[in-house]
């Protein structure tokens, strides 16, 4: 069969899609160019916010016609939304054209289910929570065999134990579990042998890596081991929890030049009362201290964050505290989200849900505060020469190329004929915008 994978959601899902593509290939299937020439569509879904679900549902709805054109075609739904309670029933009732529904614990079974479904035509649903490692490992062993380009993602831990009160992820990704150091290092080695220069280590909370492994194994130790891989230029990681990011980790990173000086530390709110309601496990005073520690060790660090506006009970005064704290923190960038009610999470049942109109108005005000800060910090880079890893031809303009700094800032520069994705170029920054920089090679 020819397969087409449509991915929604975060890096976790992107990486799962890469692993699934590898599994399907090794089961003898071929990637399709697009929907038109595909026999199998895999929709990898996200449910972190309602609009992510709506996008996936919209796409699934549009596939009804695709399935009717050739009834032998197969539609499989996987990922976080498939794992969410109630979704399998919804799909069963209202999306009868979907053949296979597999949750986040059963991804590796997809090739077998495709075969079974093709033979019987009977719908298959597998959303069982399993912690037996074999299924996932089979995926990961295959991962390095897939051409990834110059950068790749590697899972280090799965699941989440934090239960932030607004968040659905712990319910759909299960409890935390870490892969062994040797498995991760082997995978990074295999990827770099295939030409990968930049690795992004993935976990919902990378700082809790190793908690269930033997004593002494933690994220700082893992970074040291991954740093030793030859041929690897850059190491990124996603996501850090501010509560668990400690001084020892910062000091370890300071000794490891391959680890990028980009710190993504989701703050969520600048109001202590709401941080408690969110079950984040830190207050603004601790967060402030963490930023000070990082900036002392890494004066040039890029620091980014995530913020939620309109959490239940957020008053105008609470929101003002967030605005003030955002001004104080001076983030390079902030990913801002409207609070989305996720049934089944504690926040969904909290009184005083904030209206959509108020949420939207606050989001505008937050961006109006943050965008000039992003621009001002980017302007400070004008005149400096930065090491940029080439991504490729710019999407907007084919006479330009784009790449990223160690701090993960996007740099646009004139096309260099000899530059290949993954090469490092020294670029002098000439102009700054809110979301990217322009420069010239030196
Ligand atoms: N594990 C990571 C990322 C989780 S999801 C972390 O803890 O940072 C990415 C971001 O989505 C979160 O940081 C949060 O800002 C946002 N988010 C999660 N649930 C949300 C919800 N119900 N409504 C709005 N934003 C949400
Ligand atoms: Fe969700 Fe919190 Fe876990 Fe992040 S740390 S995935 S926001 S519960
Ligand atoms: Fe979405 Fe699942 Fe990632 S809910 S954000 S795809 S972990």
């Amino acid at each position: 069969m020819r397969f087409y994978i449509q991915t929604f959601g975060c890096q976790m899902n992107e990486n799962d899609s890469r692993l699934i593509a590898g599994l399907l290939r090794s089961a003898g299937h071929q990637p399709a160019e697009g929907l038109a020439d595909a026999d199998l569509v895999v929709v990898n879904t996200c449910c972190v916010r309602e609009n992510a679900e709506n996008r996936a549902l919209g796409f699934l709805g549009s596939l009804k016609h695709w399935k009717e054109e050739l009834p032998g075609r197969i539609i499989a739904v996987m990922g976080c939304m498939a794992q969410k309670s109630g979704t399998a029933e919804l799909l069963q009732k209202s999306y009868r054209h979907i053949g296979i529904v597999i949750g986040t614990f059963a991804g590796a079974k997809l090739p077998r289910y495709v075969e079974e479904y093709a033979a019987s035509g009977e719908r298959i649903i597998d959303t069982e929570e399993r912690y037996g490692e074999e299924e996932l490992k089979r995926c990961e062993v295959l991962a390095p065999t897939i051409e990834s380009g110059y950068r790749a993602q590697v899972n280090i831990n799965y699941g989440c134990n934090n239960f932030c009160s607004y968040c659905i992820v712990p319910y759909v990704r299960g409890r935390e579990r870490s892969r062994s150091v040797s498995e991760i290092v082997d995978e990074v080695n295999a990827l770099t042998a295939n030409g990968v220069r930049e690795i992004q280590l993935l976990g919902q909370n990378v700082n809790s890596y190793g908690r269930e492994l033997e004593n002494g194994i933690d994220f700082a130790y893992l970074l040291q081991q991954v740093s030793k891989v030859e041929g690897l230029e850059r190491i990124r990681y996603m996501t850090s929890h501010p509560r668990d990011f400690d001084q020892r980790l910062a000091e370890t990173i300071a000794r490891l030049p391959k680890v990028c000086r980009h710190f993504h530390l989701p703050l969520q709110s600048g109001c202590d009362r709401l941080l408690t309601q969110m079950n984040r496990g830190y207050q603004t005073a601790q967060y402030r201290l963490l930023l000070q520690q990082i900036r002392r060790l890494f004066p040039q660090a890029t620091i980014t964050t995530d913020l939620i506006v309109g959490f239940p009970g957020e008053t105008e005064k609470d929101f003002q505290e967030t605005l003030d704290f955002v001004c104080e923190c001076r983030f390079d960038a902030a990913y801002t989200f409207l609070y989305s009610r996720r049934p089944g999470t504690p926040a969904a049942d909290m009184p005083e849900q904030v209206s959509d109109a108020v949420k939207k108005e606050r989001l505008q005000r937050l961006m109006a505060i943050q965008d000039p800060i992003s621009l001002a910090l980017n302007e400070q880079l004008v005149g400096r020469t930065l090491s940029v890893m080439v991504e490729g031809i710019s999407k907007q303009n084919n006479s330009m190329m784009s790449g990223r700094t160690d701090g993960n800032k996007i740099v646009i520069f004139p096309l260099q004929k000899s530059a290949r994705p993954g090469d490092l170029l020294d670029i002098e920054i000439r102009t700054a915008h809110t979301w990217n920089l322009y420069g010239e090679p030196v």
Side-chain angles (χ1 to χ4, degrees):
M1 283 191 189
R2 274 160 311 170
F3 63 87
Y4 181 79
I5 305 182
Q6 176 74 39
T7 307
F8 297 93
C10 66
Q11 284 91 347
M12 230 41 91
N13 264 16
E14 281 172 26
N15 197 40
D16 288 351
S17 291
R18 178 175 70 93
L19 301 174
I20 291 293
L23 279 178
L24 289 170
R25 275 171 192 253
S26 63
H29 306 293
Q30 299 296 319
E33 298 277 321
L35 273 179
D37 70 325
D39 315 295
L40 164 66
V41 175
V42 181
V43 187
N44 196 0
T45 59
C46 170
C47 58
V48 75
R49 283 171 291 274
E50 195 180 356
N51 57 10
E53 282 192 310
N54 288 342
R55 284 214 309 277
L57 287 173
F59 183 70
L60 288 172
S62 75
L63 288 177
K64 188 161 186 265
H65 181 65
W66 178 84
K67 166 86 177 162
E68 281 164 1
E69 277 175 357
L70 290 171
R73 287 171 160 175
I74 299 177
I75 303 169
V77 182
M78 60 178 280
C80 295
M81 201 179 127
Q83 188 68 37
K84 212 183 84 170
S85 81
T87 302
E89 292 79 0
L90 167 79
L91 295 177
Q92 186 132 19
K93 264 215 318 268
S94 312
Y95 296 76
R96 308 187 70 92
H97 52 292
I98 291 165
I100 303 169
V101 181
I102 46 177
T104 55
F105 293 83
K109 295 192 168 184
L110 182 66
R112 206 219 293 162
Y113 288 156
V114 167
E115 231 173 86
E116 284 175 22
Y117 179 79
S120 73
E122 269 175 51
R123 173 178 278 204
I124 295 169
I125 297 176
D126 181 353
T127 55
E128 192 190 325
E129 251 192 56
R130 302 187 178 77
Y131 291 92
E133 294 287 309
E134 284 82 45
E135 293 299 326
L136 287 168
K137 268 192 193 140
R138 253 185 68 215
C139 269
E140 281 139 13
V141 169
L142 285 162
T145 64
I146 305 147
E147 59 298 352
S148 312
Y150 71 95
R151 65 177 171 188
Q153 292 152 334
V154 172
N155 290 315
I156 66 166
N157 51 357
Y158 303 98
C160 183
N161 290 356
N162 288 311
F163 290 96
C164 301
S165 63
Y166 50 81
C167 184
I168 191 89
V169 170
Y171 303 88
V172 294
R173 288 275 173 176
R175 296 293 65 72
E176 267 177 14
R177 57 251 185 234
S178 301
R179 296 176 70 198
S180 73
V181 175
S182 61
E183 247 176 64
I184 296 166
V185 170
D186 286 352
E187 188 172 336
V188 175
N189 262 314
L191 286 162
T192 42
N194 271 350
V196 166
R197 322 280 307 270
E198 177 180 303
I199 286 288
Q200 187 177 39
L201 304 173
L202 293 182
Q204 290 301 346
N205 177 6
V206 293
N207 303 103
S208 64
Y209 173 77
R211 240 169 233 174
E212 356 67 88
L213 302 178
E214 310 129 64
N215 275 345
I217 292 186
D218 62 5
F219 185 57
Y221 176 80
L222 179 70
L223 283 179
Q224 290 169 39
Q225 301 310 308
V226 173
S227 271
K228 290 180 190 159
V229 172
E230 281 190 37
L232 187 61
E233 297 277 358
R234 283 181 175 177
I235 302 169
R236 300 188 186 278
Y237 51 89
M238 193 78 161
T239 306
S240 287
H241 195 301
R243 182 197 56 212
D244 300 323
F245 199 108
D246 58 19
Q247 179 74 13
R248 188 177 102 79
L249 175 59
E251 283 166 4
T252 305
I253 292 173
R255 290 193 301 272
L256 299 173
K258 289 181 187 175
V259 180
C260 290
R261 273 53 181 151
H262 172 208
F263 300 85
H264 181 65
L265 295 162
L267 169 66
Q268 313 301 1
S269 170
C271 164
D272 286 329
R273 190 180 69 79
L274 289 187
L275 285 173
T276 305
Q277 293 283 304
M278 289 177 167
N279 192 29
R280 288 292 288 175
Y282 56 84
Q283 299 278 276
T284 49
Q286 276 159 274
Y287 192 93
R288 177 181 292 120
L289 217 60
L290 176 60
L291 292 194
Q292 284 166 2
Q293 283 174 347
I294 289 175
R295 287 192 166 123
R296 206 175 305 129
L297 279 168
F298 311 98
Q300 314 287 358
T302 300
I303 301 180
T304 57
T305 200
D306 291 350
L307 294 160
I308 297 177
V309 301
F311 182 81
E314 183 186 73
T315 63
E316 177 56 31
K317 184 172 157 291
D318 297 335
F319 178 64
Q320 193 59 51
E321 286 181 22
T322 294
L323 292 182
D324 292 344
F325 196 61
V326 165
C327 278
E328 178 192 328
C329 289
R330 295 187 68 75
F331 295 112
D332 287 272
Y335 301 89
T336 50
F337 305 106
L338 298 174
Y339 167 74
S340 173
R341 205 174 149 264
R342 306 285 66 210
T345 62
D349 299 324
M350 288 180 186
E352 302 168 58
Q353 299 281 327
V354 177
S355 75
D356 275 351
V358 170
K359 279 190 229 173
K360 284 182 185 149
E361 185 253 349
R362 286 185 185 162
L363 187 76
Q364 292 305 318
R365 282 159 65 203
L366 179 57
M367 293 194 306
I369 295 273
Q370 177 55 44
D371 288 354
I373 299 174
S374 299
L375 179 61
L377 293 180
N378 281 348
E379 278 170 346
Q380 287 179 5
L381 297 173
V382 172
R384 279 187 46 204
T385 297
L386 302 176
S387 177
V388 171
M389 189 174 277
V390 177
E391 286 192 340
I393 309 287
S394 163
K395 284 189 195 94
Q396 279 85 40
N397 178 344
N398 62 9
S399 66
M400 305 293 276
M401 294 187 105
S402 73
R404 279 178 197 261
T405 67
D406 172 278
N408 209 32
K409 299 208 175 188
I410 298 170
V411 181
I412 311 290
F413 54 93
L415 186 78
Q416 306 295 297
K417 287 227 161 58
S418 57
R420 297 281 159 264
D423 288 353
L424 287 169
L425 296 181
D426 284 335
I427 307 276
E428 189 188 303
I429 304 304
R430 297 285 172 83
T431 21
H433 301 269
T434 307
W435 297 105
N436 60 26
L437 303 162
Y438 281 81
E440 298 280 341
V442 293

